[in-house]
Amino acid sequence: TGTGKELVARAIHKGSLRATGPLVAVNCGALPEHLVESELFGHARGAFTGAVADRAGLFELANGGTIFLDEIGEAPADVQVKLLRVLETGGVTRVGEATPQIVNVRVIAATNRNLAQGVQAGTFREDLYHRLRVFPITMPALSERPGDIEPLAQHFLARSIRGPLQPASSQVMSAEFLAALRDRDWPGNVRELKHAIEYAAVVARRGKLRPEHLPAPDRPGTSGTAAGIESAARAVAAAVKEWSAAARRELAALPEPDLHHRAIQLVEGTLLREALAHTGGNRTAAARLLGLDRATLRTKLRSLGIDD
């Protein structure tokens, strides 16, 4: 999120042989679920109550150019089926019609979800996933390219203060301000940086931007630690889903698959090992950290086969 996926899509379109054609961008997660199909593929006269004329969908409007499907992971299951057919045949069938209309469109899809995990969880079609994943582009997080922070910040500052009443030279960033920018994690990536610069420009009141002009890095109602735990919890949940799908495939045929016991052992063993590593092998300290008494910890280590 916030890495600039649509900007990349626009750059691809602008640099292609389709640059003179239309670029149609649509956020699949922002469309009302009951209208997604009509918006993408159009509808025929009478297909909906009050529809008195045919209406072209976004694929038809993008004919000869590019359609950018943002947040493709949010597309409903029935729409995923029709998207796959469009990609396979190049034909778009309006709601209420039976005959497809051929369109010549480059499709760029984007998501901030892990679609491979969505496939395993059954929320995203595997055939559509492979059909879309022809030329994948991974957008790097801002934290992975710290050298971009300063030029981006300079650009956003110049843009935020540009105007007839405020010359571009009226505000500058102090060295301490730039250092503070580099020290942040920027979980919201470029979008978060942009908003932070705009905020600081207002607070500084046309003066030099300093660290105290930046907005607080924490999300409302959370501390940095809480935000980290929440993020890690989401990662654990995603990992459990992935493990569960793999375990069902490989173990379901056993007389007693016992997925619950296997999962508990896996998680508990990892947790105990991490606690011991953190305390340098001190079991008393590890037990305190885990909220266990030392005897219980010893029993668990023995049962998991990690009692040395």
Side-chain angles (χ1 to χ4, degrees):
T1 297
T3 53
K5 296 185 289 293
E6 184 171 343
L7 286 176
V8 172
R10 292 185 179 278
I12 292 171
H13 174 75
K14 186 177 180 180
S16 73
L17 297 177
R18 297 174 180 268
T20 56
L23 170 65
V24 176
V26 55
N27 187 322
C28 297
L31 294 174
E33 188 168 346
H34 64 288
L35 293 178
V36 175
E37 186 177 350
S38 172
E39 289 292 323
L40 290 176
F41 311 125
H43 63 254
R45 182 186 297 109
F48 296 101
T49 302
V52 295
D54 293 345
R55 182 177 183 279
L58 297 175
F59 268 90
E60 289 182 68
L61 294 178
N63 194 22
T66 302
I67 187 168
F68 173 56
L69 302 175
D70 198 8
E71 303 302 346
I72 188 65
E74 304 290 340
D78 57 335
V79 173
Q80 291 181 32
V81 174
K82 297 191 176 183
L83 276 174
L84 178 64
R85 184 158 185 80
V86 171
L87 294 173
E88 293 287 359
T89 67
V92 175
T93 304
R94 292 178 177 178
V95 177
E97 288 186 350
T99 304
Q101 302 185 49
I102 301 301
V103 292
N104 181 356
V105 178
R106 165 184 277 132
V107 176
I108 302 177
T111 181
N112 60 18
R113 292 186 175 188
N114 187 322
L115 291 186
Q117 292 179 356
V119 170
Q120 294 175 341
T123 60
F124 199 82
R125 292 184 62 94
E126 184 174 7
D127 45 9
L128 178 59
Y129 169 72
H130 290 299
R131 189 63 184 82
L132 286 171
R133 199 177 181 274
V134 175
F135 191 88
I137 300 174
T138 299
M139 296 293 294
L142 186 56
S143 60
E144 297 175 15
R145 44 192 179 110
D148 288 356
I149 292 176
E150 182 174 345
L152 283 170
Q154 297 284 6
H155 167 72
F156 293 139
L157 178 61
R159 196 166 72 173
S160 70
I161 62 179
R162 187 178 299 143
L165 301 179
Q166 194 160 345
S169 60
S170 63
Q171 277 189 304
V172 296
M173 293 181 284
S174 67
E176 295 81 7
F177 182 84
L178 290 171
L181 294 182
R182 288 190 291 269
D183 286 343
R184 288 208 181 190
D185 293 332
W186 302 112
N189 296 297
V190 179
R191 183 184 294 121
E192 183 183 359
L193 174 64
K194 175 179 180 290
H195 294 164
I197 296 301
E198 292 171 347
Y199 178 96
V202 172
V203 175
R205 297 186 179 185
R206 304 188 184 184
K208 181 178 289 189
L209 272 63
R210 301 188 182 281
E212 58 267 26
H213 297 142
L214 285 168
D218 298 336
R219 292 182 174 85
T222 64
S223 66
T225 301
I229 291 175
E230 290 169 6
S231 176
R234 289 192 293 270
V236 169
V240 170
K241 288 182 179 179
E242 184 176 356
W243 179 88
S244 178
R248 289 196 303 272
R249 288 195 302 269
E250 297 184 18
L251 306 174
L254 296 177
E256 296 182 7
D258 205 2
L259 298 191
H260 179 265
H261 178 67
R262 293 172 185 268
I264 293 299
Q265 280 197 313
L266 177 63
V267 173
E268 191 171 43
T270 301
L271 181 62
L272 299 187
R273 288 187 179 92
E274 285 297 302
L276 286 169
H278 178 75
T279 61
N282 186 320
R283 294 191 177 187
T284 300
R288 185 184 307 113
L289 180 64
L290 292 164
L292 303 172
D293 59 63
R294 198 172 188 279
T296 301
L297 174 60
R298 184 171 58 250
T299 301
K300 288 181 175 294
L301 290 173
R302 188 177 297 116
S303 67
L304 291 168
I306 53 179
D307 181 24
D308 55 3

